[in-house]
Amino acid sequence: MSDHAAPFTSPLPALIIGGGPAGCACALWLHRLGVETLLLESSDRLGGLQRLSPYENLWIPGVQDRTGEQVAEALHDHIAAAGVPHRLNTRVTQIGEGFSVTTEEETFRARHLVLATGTRPAAGPFRPAPNIAIGPGHPMEALEVEGRRIAILGGGDNAFDQARFVLHRGAAHVTVFSRSAPRAQSLLQDMIPQADIRTGPYQADPDALTVNGEAFDGFGVMYGFEAHVPPGLSLTSGNGYVEVDRFGETRTPNLWACGEVTDYWHPCVTTSAAHGVQVAKQISLRLR
Ligand SMILES: Cc1cc2nc3c(=O)[nH]c(=O)nc-3n(C[C@H](O)[C@H](O)[C@H](O)COP(=O)(O)OP(=O)(O)OC[C@H]3O[C@@H](n4cnc5c(N)ncnc54)[C@H](O)[C@@H]3O)c2cc1C
């Protein structure tokens, strides 16, 4: 299904891939700056990772009492109400020189291409299953925990946050396995004195649901996030993220990236959206 069905015959001035906070902000600004633009999103709603979060988002200046899901819905509604051309359920499968952008249904050409494809929870060797949740938010909330023994794999903020939520939801026992000293803020670590924290190498067996031979009822895999980059051009640096300059441009002129897919320091909703705005402004200046 597409929300914007007009065919494009000549190269679009600007094409944006990814409808999270970065891509939505970029598309909104480009549209308002008078640049013909199209936003492509693989899922059926805009909002990106915020769609995964049933938790209150306390971190957006001026936005109160909204969960991540509500923030995502607001982004979706804003793009629709502002008349920003966009297509949902449109996954980009390949990007090429020039720039050509291939989806399952057609190929677009664009003078300026913006990658705003964000990140996804890293799964390591695990696959989602009824007893295995990958990443924070909805996947973890769907895991049955009441009266159960849950192993949280990972030692960052999300691991400790989720261990706390799981305890709050009535888990009988929570063990956090961290290969090295936990990186989570001490504030978060101190909030769960009752959790069993194990530091050091471990072997987790997803079929037997054991860690170092000890049986659990469920795993929460909190291995951080990895950049989501469509195949085609070689864009990423050693850590898998897209390197950009301070305007959001990659080493290839007119190829831009914004938000979590980049090496931007400390991505969140606000910084990702701000990054999208910077890119939009630069593109509009370049096209003048
Ligand atoms: C559970 C959870 C809670 C969070 N809580 C907060 C919080 O309280 N406050 C806060 O500021 N931040 C929070 N964050 C982080 C915040 O959601 C992200 O920093 C932000 O969404 C990043 O925006 P983005 O646009 O760069 O990427 P994303 O939100 O990841 O959006 C990228 C979009 O690109 C799409 N896409 C990817 N590949 C393709 C493709 N090939 N073709 C088409 N589309 C594609 C994806 O479907 C997605 O919609 C939270 C994240 C999670 C997971």
Side-chain angles (χ1 to χ4, degrees), residues 16-24 40-43 45-60 68 90-94 116-121 135-139 158 162 225 228-231 258-262 267-273:
I16 300 149
I17 312 173
C24 287
L40 304 179
E41 165 57 44
S42 59
S43 69
R45 302 287 290 174
L46 302 172
L49 283 180
Q50 284 290 278
R51 297 183 67 212
L52 290 182
S53 175
Y55 314 121
E56 189 181 355
N57 189 331
L58 303 166
W59 305 95
I60 307 177
T90 304
R91 173 175 297 282
V92 170
T93 52
Q94 186 83 15
T117 41
T119 57
R120 62 186 152 211
H138 278 308
N158 279 315
Q162 292 298 325
F225 290 81
H228 216 177
V229 184
C258 51
E260 283 221 12
V261 75
T262 71
C268 66
V269 171
T270 311
T271 54
S272 296

Side-chain angles (χ1 to χ4, degrees), residues 27-91:
L28 179 69
W29 273 64
L30 280 167
H31 182 67
R32 290 220 182 281
L33 289 165
V35 177
E36 189 187 1
T37 187
L38 177 65
L39 171 64
L40 304 179
E41 165 57 44
S42 59
S43 69
D44 61 354
R45 302 287 290 174
L46 302 172
L49 283 180
Q50 284 290 278
R51 297 183 67 212
L52 290 182
S53 175
Y55 314 121
E56 189 181 355
N57 189 331
L58 303 166
W59 305 95
I60 307 177
V63 175
Q64 296 180 69
D65 305 326
R66 297 269 181 107
T67 63
E69 282 173 298
Q70 289 170 327
V71 170
E73 278 304 294
L75 281 169
H76 184 97
D77 291 347
H78 193 167
I79 292 298
V84 181
H86 61 284
R87 292 190 185 182
L88 304 175
N89 300 308
T90 304
R91 173 175 297 282

